[in-house]
Amino acid sequence: MTDNSITSRLYPTRIDIPAEARVQIVVLLNQTLAATSDLKTQAKQAHWNVKGTDFYQLHLLFDELAGELEGYVDMVAERITALGGYAFGTARAAASNSILPEYPLDILDGKDHVTALADRYGFYAKHLRDAIAKTDDLDDLDTADLYTEISRTIDKRLWFLEAHLQIAEIKQENGKAATTKTQKIPAGVK
């Protein structure tokens, strides 16, 4: 999705952010609203359809993820309207304006759902970080702070999802401590 697919109209407000900046911020927030709504429904799709030995654990996790996202939907929509913008919050708006790939409707296995959600949380996390920078550049520190708050939780949830996918090869040899094969970190990265 591009910035051109969502337009913005502003209502009069006494907020001291220039209208030109508010238009850009509202467009960005509406993109976030679409992606957040889409991600919430994707988490619910996983919640309803997960099968396998980790069913109960994942069923609860996916429902918790969807619940958190529902809260962010409301926060983002309210920020749009606080800036004098118009929130595009319908399911159809979300479907047509989301940055996320379509969720696969033919998966059942818990690991496949975790992988699909982790991929989408990764896209969403990048969008949030880009939005932090953009709203900061537009001198809207309140919206940048909102994005930062959401970003922290999304990164934590991405960690939870990825923890289900990270395979540690543990080898016990004659009572020695377990060893774990880990990914090498490139030189210069701390």
Side-chain angles (χ1 to χ4, degrees), residues 18-38:
E20 301 81 28
R22 284 188 295 121
V23 166
Q24 293 177 60
I25 296 163
V26 166
V27 167
L28 181 60
L29 283 164
N30 268 308
Q31 289 175 337
T32 304
L33 180 58
T36 309
S37 296
D38 188 18

PDB file of all heavy atoms in Angstrom, residues 18-38:
ATOM      1  N   PRO A  18       0.718  22.089  12.452  1.00  0.00           N
ATOM      2  CA  PRO A  18       0.245  22.637  11.168  1.00  0.00           C
ATOM      3  C   PRO A  18      -0.575  21.620  10.367  1.00  0.00           C
ATOM      4  O   PRO A  18      -0.310  20.414  10.399  1.00  0.00           O
ATOM      5  CB  PRO A  18       1.540  22.982  10.432  1.00  0.00           C
ATOM      6  CG  PRO A  18       2.579  23.114  11.497  1.00  0.00           C
ATOM      7  CD  PRO A  18       2.168  22.175  12.596  1.00  0.00           C
ATOM      8  N   ALA A  19      -1.563  22.115   9.645  1.00  0.00           N
ATOM      9  CA  ALA A  19      -2.467  21.250   8.876  1.00  0.00           C
ATOM     10  C   ALA A  19      -1.710  20.361   7.897  1.00  0.00           C
ATOM     11  O   ALA A  19      -2.060  19.185   7.728  1.00  0.00           O
ATOM     12  CB  ALA A  19      -3.506  22.102   8.138  1.00  0.00           C
ATOM     13  N   GLU A  20      -0.670  20.905   7.248  1.00  0.00           N
ATOM     14  CA  GLU A  20       0.093  20.099   6.279  1.00  0.00           C
ATOM     15  C   GLU A  20       0.722  18.882   6.952  1.00  0.00           C
ATOM     16  O   GLU A  20       0.744  17.791   6.392  1.00  0.00           O
ATOM     17  CB  GLU A  20       1.195  20.942   5.607  1.00  0.00           C
ATOM     18  CG  GLU A  20       0.705  22.164   4.857  1.00  0.00           C
ATOM     19  CD  GLU A  20       0.422  23.367   5.789  1.00  0.00           C
ATOM     20  OE1 GLU A  20       1.048  23.493   6.875  1.00  0.00           O
ATOM     21  OE2 GLU A  20      -0.456  24.164   5.430  1.00  0.00           O
ATOM     22  N   ALA A  21       1.235  19.087   8.151  1.00  0.00           N
ATOM     23  CA  ALA A  21       1.828  17.968   8.891  1.00  0.00           C
ATOM     24  C   ALA A  21       0.742  17.010   9.363  1.00  0.00           C
ATOM     25  O   ALA A  21       0.899  15.784   9.282  1.00  0.00           O
ATOM     26  CB  ALA A  21       2.634  18.485  10.083  1.00  0.00           C
ATOM     27  N   ARG A  22      -0.377  17.553   9.842  1.00  0.00           N
ATOM     28  CA  ARG A  22      -1.460  16.693  10.317  1.00  0.00           C
ATOM     29  C   ARG A  22      -2.005  15.799   9.218  1.00  0.00           C
ATOM     30  O   ARG A  22      -2.352  14.641   9.472  1.00  0.00           O
ATOM     31  CB  ARG A  22      -2.577  17.532  10.951  1.00  0.00           C
ATOM     32  CG  ARG A  22      -2.200  18.037  12.336  1.00  0.00           C
ATOM     33  CD  ARG A  22      -3.333  18.712  13.080  1.00  0.00           C
ATOM     34  NE  ARG A  22      -3.764  19.940  12.422  1.00  0.00           N
ATOM     35  CZ  ARG A  22      -4.986  20.178  11.974  1.00  0.00           C
ATOM     36  NH1 ARG A  22      -5.946  19.288  12.123  1.00  0.00           N
ATOM     37  NH2 ARG A  22      -5.279  21.320  11.399  1.00  0.00           N
ATOM     38  N   VAL A  23      -2.094  16.310   8.005  1.00  0.00           N
ATOM     39  CA  VAL A  23      -2.568  15.476   6.886  1.00  0.00           C
ATOM     40  C   VAL A  23      -1.646  14.269   6.721  1.00  0.00           C
ATOM     41  O   VAL A  23      -2.112  13.128   6.621  1.00  0.00           O
ATOM     42  CB  VAL A  23      -2.649  16.289   5.577  1.00  0.00           C
ATOM     43  CG1 VAL A  23      -2.789  15.372   4.368  1.00  0.00           C
ATOM     44  CG2 VAL A  23      -3.804  17.275   5.626  1.00  0.00           C
ATOM     45  N   GLN A  24      -0.336  14.499   6.720  1.00  0.00           N
ATOM     46  CA  GLN A  24       0.611  13.391   6.564  1.00  0.00           C
ATOM     47  C   GLN A  24       0.518  12.406   7.733  1.00  0.00           C
ATOM     48  O   GLN A  24       0.573  11.183   7.541  1.00  0.00           O
ATOM     49  CB  GLN A  24       2.039  13.926   6.473  1.00  0.00           C
ATOM     50  CG  GLN A  24       2.322  14.734   5.215  1.00  0.00           C
ATOM     51  CD  GLN A  24       3.732  15.274   5.237  1.00  0.00           C
ATOM     52  OE1 GLN A  24       4.683  14.497   5.303  1.00  0.00           O
ATOM     53  NE2 GLN A  24       3.866  16.597   5.190  1.00  0.00           N
ATOM     54  N   ILE A  25       0.361  12.938   8.932  1.00  0.00           N
ATOM     55  CA  ILE A  25       0.285  12.098  10.123  1.00  0.00           C
ATOM     56  C   ILE A  25      -1.000  11.270  10.109  1.00  0.00           C
ATOM     57  O   ILE A  25      -0.980  10.075  10.410  1.00  0.00           O
ATOM     58  CB  ILE A  25       0.391  12.960  11.397  1.00  0.00           C
ATOM     59  CG1 ILE A  25       1.770  13.625  11.467  1.00  0.00           C
ATOM     60  CG2 ILE A  25       0.123  12.119  12.643  1.00  0.00           C
ATOM     61  CD1 ILE A  25       1.846  14.798  12.433  1.00  0.00           C
ATOM     62  N   VAL A  26      -2.106  11.901   9.735  1.00  0.00           N
ATOM     63  CA  VAL A  26      -3.389  11.190   9.693  1.00  0.00           C
ATOM     64  C   VAL A  26      -3.358  10.081   8.633  1.00  0.00           C
ATOM     65  O   VAL A  26      -3.867   8.983   8.864  1.00  0.00           O
ATOM     66  CB  VAL A  26      -4.560  12.181   9.480  1.00  0.00           C
ATOM     67  CG1 VAL A  26      -5.840  11.461   9.092  1.00  0.00           C
ATOM     68  CG2 VAL A  26      -4.764  13.021  10.733  1.00  0.00           C
ATOM     69  N   VAL A  27      -2.763  10.339   7.493  1.00  0.00           N
ATOM     70  CA  VAL A  27      -2.631   9.298   6.466  1.00  0.00           C
ATOM     71  C   VAL A  27      -1.825   8.123   7.022  1.00  0.00           C
ATOM     72  O   VAL A  27      -2.212   6.958   6.887  1.00  0.00           O
ATOM     73  CB  VAL A  27      -2.003   9.862   5.172  1.00  0.00           C
ATOM     74  CG1 VAL A  27      -1.564   8.747   4.235  1.00  0.00           C
ATOM     75  CG2 VAL A  27      -2.973  10.798   4.463  1.00  0.00           C
ATOM     76  N   LEU A  28      -0.711   8.422   7.676  1.00  0.00           N
ATOM     77  CA  LEU A  28       0.124   7.379   8.267  1.00  0.00           C
ATOM     78  C   LEU A  28      -0.635   6.611   9.350  1.00  0.00           C
ATOM     79  O   LEU A  28      -0.591   5.379   9.405  1.00  0.00           O
ATOM     80  CB  LEU A  28       1.398   8.005   8.840  1.00  0.00           C
ATOM     81  CG  LEU A  28       2.396   7.062   9.488  1.00  0.00           C
ATOM     82  CD1 LEU A  28       2.899   6.018   8.495  1.00  0.00           C
ATOM     83  CD2 LEU A  28       3.561   7.867  10.059  1.00  0.00           C
ATOM     84  N   LEU A  29      -1.335   7.340  10.207  1.00  0.00           N
ATOM     85  CA  LEU A  29      -2.120   6.687  11.256  1.00  0.00           C
ATOM     86  C   LEU A  29      -3.226   5.809  10.670  1.00  0.00           C
ATOM     87  O   LEU A  29      -3.510   4.732  11.213  1.00  0.00           O
ATOM     88  CB  LEU A  29      -2.714   7.731  12.206  1.00  0.00           C
ATOM     89  CG  LEU A  29      -1.745   8.340  13.220  1.00  0.00           C
ATOM     90  CD1 LEU A  29      -2.325   9.614  13.817  1.00  0.00           C
ATOM     91  CD2 LEU A  29      -1.387   7.338  14.310  1.00  0.00           C
ATOM     92  N   ASN A  30      -3.838   6.236   9.576  1.00  0.00           N
ATOM     93  CA  ASN A  30      -4.858   5.396   8.942  1.00  0.00           C
ATOM     94  C   ASN A  30      -4.238   4.136   8.347  1.00  0.00           C
ATOM     95  O   ASN A  30      -4.877   3.071   8.350  1.00  0.00           O
ATOM     96  CB  ASN A  30      -5.657   6.188   7.904  1.00  0.00           C
ATOM     97  CG  ASN A  30      -6.900   6.799   8.502  1.00  0.00           C
ATOM     98  OD1 ASN A  30      -7.695   6.122   9.143  1.00  0.00           O
ATOM     99  ND2 ASN A  30      -7.080   8.096   8.315  1.00  0.00           N
ATOM    100  N   GLN A  31      -3.011   4.223   7.845  1.00  0.00           N
ATOM    101  CA  GLN A  31      -2.315   3.010   7.394  1.00  0.00           C
ATOM    102  C   GLN A  31      -2.098   2.068   8.579  1.00  0.00           C
ATOM    103  O   GLN A  31      -2.297   0.856   8.479  1.00  0.00           O
ATOM    104  CB  GLN A  31      -0.967   3.354   6.771  1.00  0.00           C
ATOM    105  CG  GLN A  31      -1.060   4.037   5.441  1.00  0.00           C
ATOM    106  CD  GLN A  31       0.315   4.461   4.923  1.00  0.00           C
ATOM    107  OE1 GLN A  31       1.253   4.634   5.687  1.00  0.00           O
ATOM    108  NE2 GLN A  31       0.408   4.636   3.618  1.00  0.00           N
ATOM    109  N   THR A  32      -1.715   2.653   9.698  1.00  0.00           N
ATOM    110  CA  THR A  32      -1.495   1.859  10.909  1.00  0.00           C
ATOM    111  C   THR A  32      -2.805   1.259  11.399  1.00  0.00           C
ATOM    112  O   THR A  32      -2.843   0.097  11.822  1.00  0.00           O
ATOM    113  CB  THR A  32      -0.862   2.730  12.013  1.00  0.00           C
ATOM    114  OG1 THR A  32       0.341   3.319  11.500  1.00  0.00           O
ATOM    115  CG2 THR A  32      -0.561   1.917  13.259  1.00  0.00           C
ATOM    116  N   LEU A  33      -3.868   2.033  11.338  1.00  0.00           N
ATOM    117  CA  LEU A  33      -5.181   1.535  11.743  1.00  0.00           C
ATOM    118  C   LEU A  33      -5.574   0.323  10.895  1.00  0.00           C
ATOM    119  O   LEU A  33      -6.028  -0.699  11.420  1.00  0.00           O
ATOM    120  CB  LEU A  33      -6.227   2.643  11.619  1.00  0.00           C
ATOM    121  CG  LEU A  33      -7.663   2.297  12.009  1.00  0.00           C
ATOM    122  CD1 LEU A  33      -7.749   1.806  13.448  1.00  0.00           C
ATOM    123  CD2 LEU A  33      -8.554   3.524  11.794  1.00  0.00           C
ATOM    124  N   ALA A  34      -5.353   0.410   9.604  1.00  0.00           N
ATOM    125  CA  ALA A  34      -5.673  -0.708   8.710  1.00  0.00           C
ATOM    126  C   ALA A  34      -4.834  -1.935   9.051  1.00  0.00           C
ATOM    127  O   ALA A  34      -5.362  -3.053   9.178  1.00  0.00           O
ATOM    128  CB  ALA A  34      -5.459  -0.293   7.255  1.00  0.00           C
ATOM    129  N   ALA A  35      -3.533  -1.735   9.217  1.00  0.00           N
ATOM    130  CA  ALA A  35      -2.645  -2.862   9.507  1.00  0.00           C
ATOM    131  C   ALA A  35      -2.952  -3.475  10.869  1.00  0.00           C
ATOM    132  O   ALA A  35      -2.929  -4.700  11.033  1.00  0.00           O
ATOM    133  CB  ALA A  35      -1.193  -2.415   9.442  1.00  0.00           C
ATOM    134  N   THR A  36      -3.260  -2.639  11.847  1.00  0.00           N
ATOM    135  CA  THR A  36      -3.554  -3.140  13.191  1.00  0.00           C
ATOM    136  C   THR A  36      -4.847  -3.945  13.191  1.00  0.00           C
ATOM    137  O   THR A  36      -4.918  -5.028  13.791  1.00  0.00           O
ATOM    138  CB  THR A  36      -3.638  -1.972  14.197  1.00  0.00           C
ATOM    139  OG1 THR A  36      -2.466  -1.153  14.072  1.00  0.00           O
ATOM    140  CG2 THR A  36      -3.741  -2.478  15.623  1.00  0.00           C
ATOM    141  N   SER A  37      -5.859  -3.435  12.522  1.00  0.00           N
ATOM    142  CA  SER A  37      -7.122  -4.170  12.407  1.00  0.00           C
ATOM    143  C   SER A  37      -6.921  -5.492  11.682  1.00  0.00           C
ATOM    144  O   SER A  37      -7.460  -6.534  12.084  1.00  0.00           O
ATOM    145  CB  SER A  37      -8.164  -3.328  11.665  1.00  0.00           C
ATOM    146  OG  SER A  37      -8.484  -2.179  12.396  1.00  0.00           O
ATOM    147  N   ASP A  38      -6.149  -5.462  10.612  1.00  0.00           N
ATOM    148  CA  ASP A  38      -5.868  -6.665   9.842  1.00  0.00           C
ATOM    149  C   ASP A  38      -5.107  -7.680  10.690  1.00  0.00           C
ATOM    150  O   ASP A  38      -5.463  -8.871  10.732  1.00  0.00           O
ATOM    151  CB  ASP A  38      -5.074  -6.295   8.587  1.00  0.00           C
ATOM    152  CG  ASP A  38      -4.887  -7.434   7.615  1.00  0.00           C
ATOM    153  OD1 ASP A  38      -5.625  -8.438   7.684  1.00  0.00           O
ATOM    154  OD2 ASP A  38      -3.989  -7.313   6.752  1.00  0.00           O
TER     155      ASP A  38
END
